[in-house]
Each structure stands twice: as structure tokens, then as C-alpha cells.
Amino acid sequence: HRDLHSFPTRRSSDLIARDQYALNFSPQVVPFTNGSPYVLTFSNLGKTNVSLRNVICDGISSIPPEGIPTGLVAPNTFMNFTLPDSGKQAVLAHAPAHQDGRVPFECNVMILTLDKKNYRLDFTWGFVVKDGAASQSFTIPHQIKEMD
């Protein structure tokens, strides 16, 4: 009968230790684009849930998260933000100033972790404009900073 009870079990202290371990690191949130040039996706590569607030880009209005109102992103999942029509107009309005057709916007998103710490992820969201429309977009992540 001893063999039946000798398998390893997960104790609550193991789970607490895992969560505490995960909370000792800054969030691992990565922005990327995929498909539509006007959709920005954030992937949570970390070990705990994070909440994302609105994306803020210079010259573009605040962009709310799609779907879940709180912007909660579980580990190994993602959340999309779609540029509103006013943002699309801003991209096209800035295009003539960029001869190469690459129109960059400096952006950030606020991240709240389980331990109630606030972080800001700065990144560049760029658009490739051809013939009066954005044909694709790209992101360049900068850094995640802990906020006071």
C-alpha cells in the first residue's frame, strides 16, 4: 500500500514559493504585430497574470484593450489593441514627413502586476505607408521601467 501513496504531491507552500519567485521579477510583456497593420498584440511571457492599461502613443488617442475590460493577461496568452479611426488618420497625416514611408510613433503601456507594482513599457509602433494606406506595421520594444 505504500507505493500507492508515494507519488509526489504539490503542497500549498510550493505554490506560494512559485508565486513569490515570479513576483520578484519585472513583467515579461512583449509587443508585436501580426497580420493587420492596425492591430497591436501584447504577449505575456511571464509566470503570473498582469493587467494592461490603455496604450498611449504620441499624436494618437488612447487605445483601450479589446475584450476583457480589465486588460488581464494570463501567462503565455496575449491581448490585442486595435487602432481607432482617429489613430489611422494620424498615421496617414504623419506619412508625408517620412520619405521612406516608415511612420514611427513612440508609445507606452502601463502594466500592473499581482503584487500591485506598476511598470511602464516603452516601445515604438511603426507603420509602413504605401499609396495612402498602412500596408504593415512593426514594433521595437525599449524597456520596462518600474514606476513609483
Side-chain angles (χ1 to χ4, degrees):
H1 293 292
R2 227 172 13 158
D3 290 341
L4 292 175
H5 300 288
S6 64
F7 59 90
T9 59
R10 185 168 274 190
R11 299 176 311 215
S12 62
S13 60
D14 293 339
L15 296 174
I16 292 169
R18 182 199 67 197
D19 289 346
Q20 288 301 317
Y21 175 81
L23 294 176
N24 288 327
F25 297 93
S26 62
Q28 297 177 21
V29 175
V30 179
F32 65 95
T33 59
N34 188 8
S36 169
Y38 297 118
V39 177
L40 179 65
T41 302
F42 288 91
S43 180
N44 180 5
L45 304 177
K47 303 249 185 245
T48 61
N49 292 347
V50 296
S51 293
L52 301 181
R53 308 261 174 70
N54 291 5
V55 171
I56 306 294
C57 296
D58 293 341
I60 298 177
S61 61
S62 177
I63 308 164
E66 288 182 3
I68 304 168
T70 60
L72 183 68
V73 186
N76 301 308
T77 63
F78 59 89
M79 176 168 287
N80 291 328
F81 291 75
T82 299
L83 196 63
D85 287 342
S86 60
K88 294 173 187 175
Q89 292 167 0
V91 168
L92 298 179
H94 284 82
H98 301 276
Q99 295 299 321
D100 62 358
R102 297 168 68 91
V103 183
F105 288 89
E106 295 308 312
C107 304
N108 69 68
V109 65
M110 298 303 292
I111 303 166
L112 178 66
T113 58
L114 282 179
D115 57 351
K116 306 294 185 215
K117 289 183 182 175
N118 284 295
Y119 293 84
R120 188 177 87 192
L121 169 61
D122 293 322
F123 61 97
T124 302
W125 188 5
F127 299 85
V128 178
V129 177
K130 281 178 137 172
D131 302 323
S135 59
Q136 62 183 353
S137 64
F138 59 91
T139 59
I140 303 169
H142 298 299
Q143 64 181 20
I144 293 179
K145 300 178 207 168
E146 187 172 354
M147 308 304 287
D148 295 331

